[in-house]
Amino acid sequence: MTKAHFGLIGLGVMGENLVLNAERNGFSSVVYNRTFAKTEAFLKSRGAGKAITGAIDLQDFVDKLERPRRILMMIKAGSATDAVIDQISPYLQEGDLLIDGGNSEFRDTERRVADLESKSFGYIGMGVSGGAKGALEGPSMMPGGTKASYDAIESLLTKMAAQVEDGPCVAYIGPGGSGHFVKTVHNGIEYGIEQILAEAYDVMRRVGGMTGSDMADVLAQWNTTEELSSYLVEITEICLRAKDQKEGNDLVEKIMDKAGQKGTGLWTVMSALELGASVPTIYAALNGRVLSSMKEERIKAELILNRTMIKSFEIGNKADGMRPLMDAVVLSTIASYAQGMELLRIASSEFNYSLNMPSIAQIWKGGCIIRSRLLNRIQDAFNLSPELPNLLIDPWFAEQVKNRLPNLAMIVSGAAEAGIPVPCFSSSLDYINSYRTARLPQNLVQAMRDCFGSHTYERIDKEGNFHTEWLDSNAN
Ligand code: 6PG
């Protein structure tokens, strides 16, 4: 019997779609799932008539694969991944390659790469983005591990990936857990943009009194612009236009206002804090979800703290594409990308990942959740200046800041006076204002630290570390 080119463990929606994608691209496959009933059901339905066979157990699975084996695991991140690695390892032979396509924590991937490679197996930690549709039609993929392991699967991945004008949306990311790190930051940016669009919706609904269809029309206009044309704007329009099938009114208004998370947004923020990267827009999005989950408390607090709208403010109108609001969305979205890219740059130097920033922007241009036209500009910015510390100072992005900052400030101040929370807009504004301020007030913070704790401070007029006896009358 001829052996299959490719093996998949885990027949969830993503796993099913990825194996169908591989098979469509000419890679015969064998699938294994913990419960064989699921394998059988898949082979009888979506897998029927395809070059896909099932395996009853792991011995059968490895026996059906050509060597060196290429095995993709699409299973829950965390201990489930370790358990599958432990179960399959005894069946693997030198040169076989395991690929983890889940949303694993990058440090887990670092450990697994080191462990598996020391046993002469290959191990790739690969971020996969694009949801169920992307997995089937062409996702964006971020594989990390040794270059030799990547080379062994490059032909498979480049065929499976989404394609954009300058190539497939996959490339070797770097060593160890770098692929999963980049996917984590992708998700952090995703959290930011989702919250930014939710804030725009809230402002249009509460200040503009707009219906779902009106708001969807605005999103449709935004989606034609270079700055906002993107997958997330596109699906926001769809969500706002959808009606409740029974009652005929806007479906979004029926949805509980509590957003959870699976961990990647939290990991982005934790990594940023550890690495000393500033990601306030992404943190605001994460915190927005945390506060949203406190529904019961918020209901009570609204009664006590009297949540009434104080006054209306200028947000634009449909005819001008809600220009002031659009400016707030554009700049906050840029802030979200800028923070994510800066975090990648800092992590790259800290972890010796040697990340190729233009290549990462290119990979994100198709297939993934944060795909957008803006990524062309991001790619150009890093091509122009590979060591660019922050996107905001690239000439094209700097021009955006200059032109749109007054409207972002107007929306934030209007929302503040109206009592409407806009955490991503306001933290983006503070981020940009802080970043473009040569002298911040942290000189006083340093003085206080030295006053109570003798932490010392540096001076702007001479080199060295200084301490003052602040409480001594001579200092006053
Ligand atoms: C993607 C998505 C996906 C992610 C969910 C979870 O790129 O396809 O990022 O991988 O798992 O969006 O995000 P939550 O934390 O919001 O559930």
Side-chain angles (χ1 to χ4, degrees), residues 356-413:
N356 180 330
M357 304 297 276
S359 167
I360 291 169
Q362 194 271 337
I363 288 174
W364 287 350
K365 287 199 305 188
C368 72
I369 304 297
I370 62 166
R371 62 184 185 260
S372 66
R373 272 171 70 187
L374 208 51
L375 280 159
N376 288 309
R377 293 288 184 179
I378 297 175
Q379 188 182 11
D380 290 349
F382 285 106
N383 270 328
L384 188 71
S385 172
E387 302 302 319
L388 186 69
N390 191 303
L391 263 187
L392 296 179
I393 56 167
D394 164 82
W396 187 85
F397 286 96
E399 201 56 25
Q400 298 296 317
V401 171
K402 205 172 102 201
N403 295 338
R404 298 177 192 271
L405 202 64
N407 276 344
L408 172 60
M410 189 174 84
I411 294 289
V412 171
S413 64

Side-chain angles (χ1 to χ4, degrees), residues 212-267:
S213 320
D214 283 340
M215 292 186 269
D217 290 344
V218 172
L219 270 288
Q221 280 185 63
W222 289 357
N223 202 26
T224 62
T225 63
E226 177 181 8
E227 296 80 2
L228 287 182
S229 172
S230 62
Y231 174 69
L232 282 170
V233 167
E234 181 189 320
I235 63 164
T236 305
E237 181 203 338
I238 293 171
C239 296
L240 289 172
R241 226 179 267 293
K243 301 284 176 236
D244 180 73
Q245 290 207 329
K246 239 185 178 169
E247 297 176 21
N249 43 14
D250 296 335
L251 177 58
V252 75
E253 301 309 328
K254 298 277 176 200
I255 299 178
M256 177 63 77
D257 52 327
K258 284 161 77 170
Q261 55 145 336
K262 297 200 193 75
T264 46
L266 174 69
W267 298 339

Side-chain angles (χ1 to χ4, degrees), residues 14 103 128-131 183 186-187 190-191 194 260-265 289 368-369:
M14 292 294 284
N103 274 329
V128 178
S129 178
K183 174 62 184 3
H186 163 286
N187 283 23
E190 170 186 307
Y191 277 42
E194 286 168 352
Q261 55 145 336
K262 297 200 193 75
T264 46
R289 292 192 188 193
C368 72
I369 304 297

